[in-house]
Amino acid sequence: MKFGTDIATLCRENGLRLTRPRRIIMKVLSETTGHPDVVELHRQVNAIDPGISIATVYRTVSLLQDKGLLERHTFNDGRARYEAADHGHHDHLINVETGDVIEFHSDEIERLQEEIARKHGYSIVSHRLEIYVKPLPRKRSGRTGQT
Amino acid sequence: MKFGTDIATLCRENGLRLTRPRRIIMKVLSETTGHPDVVELHRQVNAIDPGISIATVYRTVSLLQDKGLLERHTFNDGRARYEAADHGHHDHLINVETGDVIEFHSDEIERLQEEIARKHGYSIVSHRLEIYVKPLPRKRSGRTGQT
DNA sequence: TTATCTGCAAAAATTTTGCACTTGG
DNA sequence: CCAAGTGCAAAATTTTTGCAGATAA
């Protein structure tokens, strides 16, 4: 479960009605490990209840983002992608060959960021670090020429 | 001038015809200090030649990006923003109150990124670091309460 | 009951594309 | 000349919104 509390409590705490669409959308969000875009989210939600419209999905993710329960990412593909926002801050390694997203965290980088912001006369509101990577070529002891 | 060479040479080297729309679009790109989106770019281009269509601007920025002459950014506002791509790698500090973008560079952070990627079995293709900031409150010696 | 929420469909915003005409080399 | 490039308008994509009906509290 990625949200801090259960869905009913989350809604109550945020003054939101616990509706069927919301329950399903939040359930899908809380169970996914990825960073789905709205179309993907809608597809998964519709697999549970085909009656839920994509407009509701858009409205729900905006709402959850406003309440600070969801993070919105825009990787370089343009579409907005979402992720439940409780499990501590992290950054992303993105495998450009497969599109896989790996989460990581570096206190040392965070510290350097603070330092840079301060030097420029700012304090950090948030940040985002994405490292686009490809697999390292596998090292072998013997000699084989091929790539 | 942000492109490494003059526009005519750039086109020749990349097998592109030096057309009037391209000359103007590249001129605007080379002279701007910001990170304009396509609509903004089109507005500036049209101030010079109102006949240039936004379709041409879209086609030109894609083309320049494919040739590696332009970088495409997507900050958290969704739209694609562009920047001429010669003046060395840098990251962005973004003032959330004004939208201003400040460029910076940290060898130390870059080194840590390499290290992280390597530990995960990857090599870096590219990366992107954006720090969203707000101005530090100004310290004063005397006492004045107001914000 | 009633303010909130939803579905639908239309609209808005952004980006791509087909096609006939223009133009750089 | 003619392949490459352009303008235009239509289409595709993504996101937002007005409104009438549904529903949680």
Side-chain angles (χ1 to χ4, degrees), chain A residues 17-146:
Chain A
R17 287 190 180 168
L18 178 51
T19 62
R20 178 174 168 78
R22 273 183 197 157
R23 195 156 11 86
I24 295 175
I25 293 166
M26 292 174 82
K27 184 175 190 329
V28 168
L29 279 167
S30 74
E31 288 175 357
T32 187
T33 58
H35 301 70
D37 61 31
V38 172
V39 172
E40 172 59 20
L41 210 46
H42 183 231
R43 181 169 24 242
Q44 290 181 227
V45 161
N46 266 208
I48 300 173
D49 179 345
I52 296 172
S53 86
I54 199 166
T56 297
V57 178
Y58 271 108
R59 282 189 275 232
T60 303
V61 292
S62 293
L63 197 59
L64 296 179
Q65 193 198 2
D66 290 349
K67 302 291 183 182
L69 302 174
L70 262 196
E71 272 173 30
R72 174 190 170 122
H73 300 285
T74 39
F75 301 142
N76 269 331
D77 58 7
R79 260 156 301 139
R81 314 181 92 88
Y82 292 87
E83 172 182 30
D86 84 307
H87 56 145
H89 170 75
H90 59 259
D91 296 304
H92 296 119
L93 274 172
I94 298 158
N95 184 331
V96 297
E97 290 176 7
T98 64
D100 289 350
V101 177
I102 298 152
E103 300 176 353
F104 74 92
H105 178 87
S106 165
D107 281 328
E108 206 167 345
I109 288 180
E110 312 261 312
R111 195 177 42 69
L112 289 166
Q113 290 180 21
E114 289 287 352
E115 195 176 307
I116 288 163
R118 193 168 5 91
K119 275 186 188 156
H120 285 264
Y122 294 101
S123 64
I124 294 183
V125 173
S126 67
H127 76 263
R128 135 199 210 185
L129 170 57
E130 288 152 23
I131 310 182
Y132 294 85
V133 297
K134 60 170 196 264
L136 279 172
R138 227 159 235 321
K139 281 284 163 32
R140 301 266 247 86
S141 41
R143 67 224 110 86
T144 71
Q146 278 66 280

Side-chain angles (χ1 to χ4, degrees), chain B residues 16-17 19 21-22 51-53 56 59:
Chain B
L16 304 177
R17 287 189 182 171
T19 63
R22 271 180 198 160
I52 297 171
S53 85
T56 297
R59 283 190 275 234

